[in-house]
Amino acid sequence: MNQPIARLFSVVLVMFALLVAFTSRWTVFDASALRANPNNSRPGLEAQYVQRGAIVAADQTALAESVRGKDGIYTRQYPFGALFAHAIGYYDPYNGSTALESYNNGVLAGSPPQQGSILDQFEGKRTNGDEVVTTLDEHAQQVAYAALAGRTGAVVAIVPGTGAIKVFADSPTYDPNQVKTRAGFAAIQAQPNGPLVDRVTAGQYAPGSTFKVVTAIAAIDAGRYTPNSVLSGKSPIVVSGQPLANDSGTSYGNVTLSTALTFSINTVWAQVALGVGAPTLQTYMNRLGFYSKPPIDLPADEVLPSGVRYNARPGYLPVTSGADLGRVGIGEGGLEVTPLQMAMVAAAVANNGRLMVPHLTKEILNPDGQVVQTTEPRLYSTVMKASTAQEVGLMMENVVNDGTGTQAALAGVRVAGKTGPAQDCTNPAVPACAKSQVWFIAYAPVNHPTIAIAVTLEHQIGFGGSIAAPIAKAVLEALHVGAAG
């Protein structure tokens, strides 16, 4: 071989080596980074040719599915429109994804050809996505939305023994089918009252008197009080240098803790909180999940913690940092909670003091219908002794039988619950202060709990017992609580 040909041959070899190196870089070593680049539209184009896995209700009813058009492109469809929007979320190759669509994207998305082997690329093979089976109950979800009747609020219902979520309802909601177009998505974003906000996991409200259940748990489990402990229910009293009164200014004589919960006597529970002390109350709040994001199967940025917010101080701070303990004990004093957190409180009492991790995913099936993953019940924490849970549960049952929660009573079924209005603001001169954040938390049946529930509505004129409790009753009925078998 003469010298010019040898030089040319060497140049060709070097160029070939560079070609292999750069090709390998983008197709193998840096493939993930390239696909993650927001300026790269190819993944969105590829995803349209792969059948994304369905998301179905517990009874296999389709909640989200991909339908193939004549051009071979799949589009995401949501048969129930707005009904499951906040639990299921939306998916669009260009507008992104939320909720279960986002959390389970890895199994739903399937595998476009270029993600497989070289042979698959030549043959054009692709793997369809897996199916996600949820714990959601279609009928009960419909009942929850009908009962909310367009009012801003949320309903969440949990199986206490497993953490399975049966109802996950937010109002206002939106139709995820509209996310397919820029105009449709923009129209959703422009709607008032934030329909894209997931109020179940990210709505933060003062819990009002529903938090007295937490105060009762701490008081009884720590051995400081019993349901029969007697305190004065006079009104008003001075707490943290300011007067604190009972609803309507009603003054009571000496009453037991059980009676104080039945009639939601603020002055008694403020005294109990002070008697329990900040360190003990903080311990039980931590056990119940306060100050931590609940480990639910949703994107972390869609879930917020619950805790005490101090004026002019960022974030949530422990009650041991100088909170108005008496008012925190009755669900005020800067305390903010999510509906999911309060459902977890009810579920812990219902499950003999054992709080289970809440979840929306029941199982995952591959395209052949085989189960490839199952969500097993997981213990979040042991909050209290079983005896404490039983005592607090009986106190909550009295609330429904004889107290502020009678409108949640079910014929032939023992229901335990707690009502809770909370002021929307603290300045009586502001007209909005005439309205309240109304609550009701409950579980049933008391003797064999199958459902725990939390209901809340924003800016209502009235009380939790008259507004939120009937919603809980309707959902419990829809879930056949107490039915034979």
Side-chain angles (χ1 to χ4, degrees), residues 86-421:
H86 289 96
I88 302 305
Y90 61 78
Y91 167 80
D92 181 79
Y94 304 106
N95 289 322
S97 59
T98 60
L100 282 178
E101 287 274 32
S102 176
Y103 186 87
N104 286 312
N105 186 64
V107 296
L108 289 166
S111 174
Q114 77 287 347
Q115 291 179 308
S117 68
I118 297 296
L119 181 60
D120 288 346
Q121 293 181 43
F122 282 114
E123 294 180 355
K125 290 182 179 179
R126 55 179 59 84
T127 302
N128 295 339
D130 291 343
E131 178 180 287
V132 172
V133 182
T134 73
T135 57
L136 295 166
D137 185 290
E138 172 201 337
H139 173 60
Q141 185 86 353
Q142 291 176 330
V143 168
Y145 271 113
L148 285 169
R151 294 170 290 183
T152 302
V155 181
V156 55
I158 302 175
V159 178
T162 66
I165 296 176
K166 307 300 289 184
V167 172
F168 192 107
D170 288 84
S171 178
T173 183
Y174 67 96
D175 186 352
N177 290 300
Q178 293 183 337
V179 178
K180 299 172 188 175
T181 66
R182 290 183 179 179
F185 193 32
I188 293 171
Q189 293 174 310
Q191 291 177 21
N193 296 325
L196 289 172
V197 175
D198 179 358
R199 285 171 168 79
V200 169
T201 61
Q204 295 170 304
Y205 312 106
S209 293
T210 57
F211 190 79
K212 291 171 184 173
V213 172
V214 178
T215 306
I217 290 169
I220 295 171
D221 200 64
R224 307 287 178 86
Y225 298 86
T226 74
N228 295 319
S229 295
V230 176
L231 290 90
S232 171
K234 71 176 182 179
S235 176
I237 63 173
V238 176
V239 175
S240 298
Q242 298 294 325
L244 174 70
N246 295 323
D247 286 339
S248 302
T250 304
S251 190
Y252 299 82
N254 291 335
V255 295
T256 65
L257 250 63
S258 183
T259 299
L261 195 69
T262 300
F263 298 105
S264 203
I265 303 175
N266 291 336
T267 57
V268 170
W269 288 104
Q271 294 174 69
V272 171
L274 292 168
V276 165
T280 299
L281 185 59
Q282 184 67 55
T283 295
Y284 284 90
M285 290 175 70
N286 290 342
R287 292 180 186 178
L288 285 161
F290 288 80
Y291 294 94
S292 299
K293 289 187 176 185
I296 188 174
D297 46 344
L298 288 173
D301 61 356
E302 297 178 24
V303 182
L304 295 178
S306 301
V308 179
R309 192 181 296 278
Y310 291 66
N311 291 334
R313 297 175 68 181
Y316 291 123
L317 295 174
V319 292
T320 51
S321 296
D324 183 344
L325 186 58
R327 286 178 172 79
V328 170
I330 64 171
E332 299 178 2
L335 183 61
E336 294 179 351
V337 301
T338 65
L340 176 60
Q341 175 62 75
M342 295 313 295
M344 290 168 65
V345 169
V349 179
N351 196 39
N352 284 321
R354 291 165 53 86
L355 177 60
M356 309 305 289
V357 173
H359 61 273
L360 286 160
T361 303
K362 177 183 177 183
E363 59 187 10
I364 295 173
L365 310 179
N366 67 19
D368 295 324
Q370 299 171 324
V371 177
V372 295
Q373 182 179 321
T374 301
T375 303
E376 299 292 343
R378 290 189 296 128
L379 180 68
Y380 181 84
S381 72
T382 299
V383 177
M384 69 199 96
K385 297 183 287 289
S387 59
T388 300
Q390 291 164 8
E391 289 178 318
V392 173
L394 291 176
M395 292 167 67
M396 293 172 66
E397 185 178 10
N398 289 338
V399 172
V400 176
N401 290 342
D402 303 309
T404 57
T406 55
Q407 293 194 51
L410 294 172
V413 179
R414 296 172 61 190
V415 180
K418 184 68 191 80
T419 56

